[in-house]
Amino acid sequence: MALNKEIWLSAIVENLYPDNSFATKSVDDSAFVVNRKVHIPNAGAPSKVVTNRTEKPAKVSQRTDNELTYEMDELTTDPIYIPNIDTVELSYDKRNSVIANDRAQLQEAAHVNILERWGGGVDTNHVLLTTGTATRDAHTSATATGQRKSICKADVLKLMTAMDADNVPEAGRYLLLDAYMYADLLNDLSESDKWMFQNSANVQSGVLGNLYGFNIMKRSSVLRVTSAKALLKWGAEGAADENAAALAWQESCLSRALGEVKMFDDTDSPTYYGDIYSFLVRTGGGIRRYDKKGVFMLAEAATA
């Protein structure tokens, strides 16, 4: 009896996507996702305090408030075609696989959009550089070359000090590292540091540990910047001197807006003899404070 040389499994190996739980650690403006622009009013300077006032009547002043805005982006997928024959002959459910993957890909693009909006709003004087003694090859793109200084726990302490000096609330501080920077930080911790770090983890909320008041989170990639500390978007052409960057923030200092994914479908199309699907989502976000306090980037420093 002849053996069947082809076997079709009933399950398909799906694509992999990064953890996007970082986005929930911010102020949710999703209720305004239907609007073109979101307005965030900021309180102006408080009144001056005088000790033992002698001038009376006191001079009356009026507070001038500030306003920040950010616009919504509309992200859409390319329409995808599923021939009718694929729904009949294949042993796995291609339609469900296509829908799940395209929705996940759109969500990934939306979270990258939010990350880049946050990173793009950081002032250059809020971009600190790593100071670790260990070095590693640049990893943000095939174009990036040379060695970069690794992150060390002293860099996290420096972030804590900068936020403390700005009177940023201690509760709700987060630091998002990419896979390489996270590994470098772990390598810099002593055994006792690692024990305390791991025992402060809250895996359900995406927090891997706490160091100097920061809830440490990890993602496969976070941000990248030019040698001039300017944001370099992931869709832009790479540069030889680009550097990976982590994002540090306090949750009340950032906004996110993320709508529901809408699916469009043309099933049993008489011209395509199959089904066509596409997806749409609206997203936005930004720094909530006019003075930009409470948000920092920690970029890898290039070695000399």
Side-chain angles (χ1 to χ4, degrees), residues 1 6 22 48 50 61 66 69 75-76 81 83 91 111-112 134 141 146 155 163 182 187 191 199 202 206 236 249 271:
M1 182 177 65
E6 293 188 8
F22 71 89
K48 179 182 178 182
V50 177
S61 61
N66 302 304
T69 64
L75 309 182
T76 55
Y81 164 57
S91 60
H111 283 85
V112 170
S141 73
D155 297 328
M163 285 200 182
Y182 177 73
N187 190 54
E191 290 303 315
N199 276 274
N202 186 343
W249 74 97
T271 53

Side-chain angles (χ1 to χ4, degrees), residues 204-217:
Q204 288 185 335
S205 64
V207 175
L208 302 176
N210 189 285
L211 183 64
Y212 296 126
F214 286 95
N215 295 306
I216 308 296
M217 305 184 75

Side-chain angles (χ1 to χ4, degrees), residues 14 40 79 88 106 114 189 209 212 256 271 297:
E14 300 289 3
I40 306 173
V88 176
L106 190 60
I114 292 172
L189 298 180
Y212 296 126
R256 73 184 188 278
T271 53
M297 280 198 288

Side-chain angles (χ1 to χ4, degrees), residues 39-241:
H39 297 256
I40 306 173
N42 274 227
S47 300
K48 179 182 178 182
V49 176
V50 177
T51 302
N52 300 324
R53 186 185 302 273
T54 57
E55 180 187 358
K56 297 176 183 178
K59 183 179 179 180
V60 178
S61 61
Q62 184 175 350
R63 192 180 81 173
T64 301
D65 292 339
N66 302 304
E67 182 183 73
L68 290 177
T69 64
Y70 65 84
E71 295 188 356
M72 305 300 299
D73 284 332
E74 186 176 86
L75 309 182
T76 55
T77 63
D78 291 337
I80 190 164
Y81 164 57
I82 304 176
N84 179 262
I85 194 68
D86 283 357
T87 64
V88 176
E89 287 191 344
L90 297 179
S91 60
Y92 60 89
D93 192 336
K94 185 169 183 176
R95 178 186 289 107
N96 280 344
S97 176
V98 166
I99 290 173
N101 276 265
D102 279 18
R103 286 175 65 94
Q105 183 64 26
L106 190 60
Q107 289 277 10
E108 158 65 2
H111 283 85
V112 170
N113 179 283
I114 292 172
L115 256 182
E116 292 182 338
R117 282 168 172 263
W118 291 352
V122 177
D123 286 338
T124 54
N125 62 344
H126 279 197
V127 181
L128 308 182
L129 298 178
T130 56
T131 60
T133 55
T135 60
R136 179 184 23 76
D137 290 339
H139 65 276
T140 46
S141 73
T143 309
T145 59
Q147 296 280 305
R148 304 291 185 267
K149 292 183 180 180
S150 64
I151 183 177
C152 60
K153 63 181 182 181
D155 297 328
V156 184
L157 180 62
K158 186 166 54 176
L159 285 170
M160 181 200 76
T161 305
M163 285 200 182
D164 288 348
D166 283 341
N167 294 317
V168 176
E170 293 188 20
R173 293 183 184 180
Y174 293 88
L175 175 61
L176 181 63
L177 303 171
D178 72 21
Y180 291 91
M181 295 182 79
Y182 177 73
D184 289 342
L185 180 60
L186 283 185
N187 190 54
D188 188 61
L189 298 180
S190 66
E191 290 303 315
S192 60
D193 289 336
K194 289 178 183 177
W195 184 88
M196 290 186 290
F197 178 77
Q198 293 167 350
N199 276 274
S200 61
N202 186 343
V203 179
Q204 288 185 335
S205 64
V207 175
L208 302 176
N210 189 285
L211 183 64
Y212 296 126
F214 286 95
N215 295 306
I216 308 296
M217 305 184 75
K218 177 178 64 170
R219 197 174 186 273
S220 55
S221 61
V222 181
L223 295 167
R224 59 177 182 166
V225 296
T226 67
S227 57
K229 299 183 179 180
L231 178 73
L232 183 62
K233 291 187 176 182
W234 289 107
E237 184 177 351
D241 58 353

